[in-house]
Amino acid sequence: MKTLPDNPHLDHLRRQAKDLLAGLRDSDPAASLADAQASLAEQYGFRTWAELKAEVDRLQGGAETADPTLAAQIAARFELGAPTGPMRSLSRPDEIGRRWLLETVRGRWAARTVDDVYPVTDGEHNTRFQEAAARADVHLPAPIRSRTGAGVETIGGNRWRVYEWLRTGPPLAAPVSAAITRQVGEILATLHAVRFPADGICPWNARLLGPIEQLPGPVREPASIGDGAPATEPVLCHNNLNPGNVRVGAGGRLVVTGWEHASGLPPEWELAAALASWTINPNGGVNTTGARALIDGYRTRAGILPPLSLNAFRGAAIGLLNYVTGQLQLARTATTLEDRRFADRNTHHLLTHLPTRATYEQVLAAALE
């Protein structure tokens, strides 16, 4: 489920709906803006656009303010200059930590906690991967190293990363237009061509880490996809290149965020996961035009595709099942009213929108048609 920022703006939602409309019209030329608004509301866990607008009104001004001493310590450790205002939260905590906006005399910065990264890492490998991606012409907020040269610093009991702030539009929502998915394919091919070394396949995507018996049968079925099948050599991948981590920047160029999950994957696993996250409609249908464009973008940039079969969807299927079981556990332990409200919407959305084996088969057929 998509998550509203702590201080949402209706203008951003309107722009998201317009971007989403272009993707819907790839499959249905008669789709209307009202259709896009209804689809976007559903992706945020609401029944109607009106309910989503009401939630935006309720959350206005809801950003939290960090302790000024903490903000000053972060600014000093990462040599950002003196803060010029309070450090404010950007979104509710996620499975890794929380994102914040810090303004200083040198500009604006995105700071975030990274306390629960899995597999556990010191952040150095990840930071060097982002720097290598930037040199390869992937557009991303540059990771800021601290005055000691570290990509991650422990401050106030939390592990912190800092990135430059880039002016962009809001996160995208699937399905997107073929012009966008073509760019996504090009970005993936560029990242894979870097051949950044990885220490094996990320366990999050390779095996189930918790019980899935609580899930409905059709939802559990994808766990068997690719089990025991051979795969190509893993390289370090973004491993979370979904619409929520991509925004449209200056000149229509895509800006990639959310690098904290970067891990080793066979390239075909990441390509398959991108097809699933970018081309599956909220109603379970597949944007065939978008899937073909993503594949064309990858092939144009790389010259060749990695071996793409149903087995390649193993990483996407297992990673999603691990995420769902984790979110269900968080829902059971939610204590505050706000957390319970969010958990109720999130779990309902997850359990009613999970792809089945048939969905992955449909995505593959659309991509290779």
Side-chain angles (χ1 to χ4, degrees):
M1 185 183 76
K2 297 182 72 64
T3 305
L4 287 168
D6 283 348
N7 189 26
H9 295 282
L10 191 56
D11 287 346
H12 275 192
L13 288 179
R14 292 191 178 109
R15 179 168 174 178
Q16 281 185 304
K18 289 179 180 178
D19 290 339
L20 177 58
L21 178 59
L24 290 176
R25 284 180 171 169
D26 279 347
S27 301
D28 179 9
S32 66
L33 181 58
D35 294 329
Q37 289 174 338
S39 176
L40 186 64
E42 184 181 4
Q43 292 186 48
Y44 278 106
F46 296 93
R47 292 176 299 174
T48 65
W49 178 253
E51 287 187 4
L52 176 58
K53 288 172 62 177
E55 182 71 359
V56 168
D57 291 339
R58 187 182 75 86
L59 294 178
Q60 275 289 312
E64 295 185 18
T65 300
D67 184 334
T69 300
L70 174 63
Q73 289 175 335
I74 294 170
R77 191 78 62 88
F78 285 90
E79 298 184 307
L80 308 177
T84 57
M87 186 169 78
R88 299 189 182 278
S89 65
L90 292 171
S91 59
R92 62 179 290 112
D94 58 22
E95 66 275 10
I96 289 179
R98 195 170 195 180
R99 297 185 298 116
W100 301 79
L101 171 62
L102 175 58
E103 298 184 73
T104 73
V105 293
R106 288 185 49 203
R108 307 179 99 195
W109 314 92
R112 74 160 297 151
T113 52
V114 286
D115 294 323
D116 295 306
V117 177
Y118 180 83
V120 177
T121 172
D122 63 1
E124 178 58 27
H125 204 55
N126 183 287
T127 301
R128 288 194 288 112
F129 177 49
Q130 292 177 58
E131 293 167 342
R135 290 193 297 271
D137 205 29
V138 175
H139 200 29
L140 56 96
I144 306 301
R145 290 183 177 271
S146 71
R147 64 190 182 205
T148 67
V152 178
E153 289 280 356
T154 299
I155 305 170
N158 297 103
R159 289 161 49 82
W160 288 90
R161 300 194 72 153
V162 174
Y163 300 92
E164 70 170 334
W165 182 272
L166 293 180
R167 186 176 294 278
T168 67
L172 293 168
V176 300
S177 69
I180 295 293
T181 59
R182 182 177 299 276
Q183 283 195 64
V184 173
E186 293 171 353
I187 290 169
L188 284 172
T190 300
L191 286 176
H192 297 166
V194 172
R195 303 299 299 178
F196 203 94
D199 185 19
I201 298 177
C202 178
W204 179 266
N205 302 91
R207 63 177 184 269
L208 293 172
L209 302 175
I212 63 170
E213 292 77 12
Q214 59 193 309
L215 303 179
V219 172
R220 300 196 305 266
E221 188 183 23
S224 64
I225 290 176
D227 188 15
T232 61
E233 181 182 358
V235 295
L236 201 62
C237 293
H238 182 281
N239 200 21
N240 205 23
L241 194 64
N242 59 54
N245 283 325
V246 178
R247 300 165 181 253
V248 178
R253 190 176 183 191
L254 299 187
V255 177
V256 181
T257 65
W259 294 80
E260 293 79 20
H261 287 289
S263 298
L265 293 177
E268 66 270 21
W269 284 24
E270 182 163 54
L271 179 57
L275 283 167
S277 62
W278 285 91
T279 67
I280 296 178
N281 300 340
N283 62 4
V286 175
N287 180 357
T288 299
T289 303
R292 292 172 182 166
L294 195 153
I295 289 296
D296 287 345
Y298 192 104
R299 185 187 287 113
T300 299
R301 182 61 57 90
I304 191 173
L305 289 178
L308 199 57
S309 68
L310 185 63
N311 291 334
F313 286 85
R314 179 162 184 79
I318 296 299
L320 183 56
L321 288 172
N322 281 328
Y323 176 76
V324 171
T325 54
Q327 291 299 300
L328 292 177
Q329 176 61 30
L330 287 176
R332 285 192 290 268
T333 58
T335 55
T336 69
L337 176 61
E338 198 65 32
D339 285 346
R340 289 197 298 270
R341 285 167 56 99
F342 176 82
D344 287 345
R345 292 202 315 273
N346 188 37
T347 53
H348 174 76
H349 184 273
L350 284 173
L351 294 178
T352 54
H353 289 80
L354 287 173
T356 64
R357 186 186 187 95
T359 310
Y360 291 124
E361 291 173 341
Q362 188 179 355
V363 171
L364 179 65
L368 299 182
E369 185 174 295

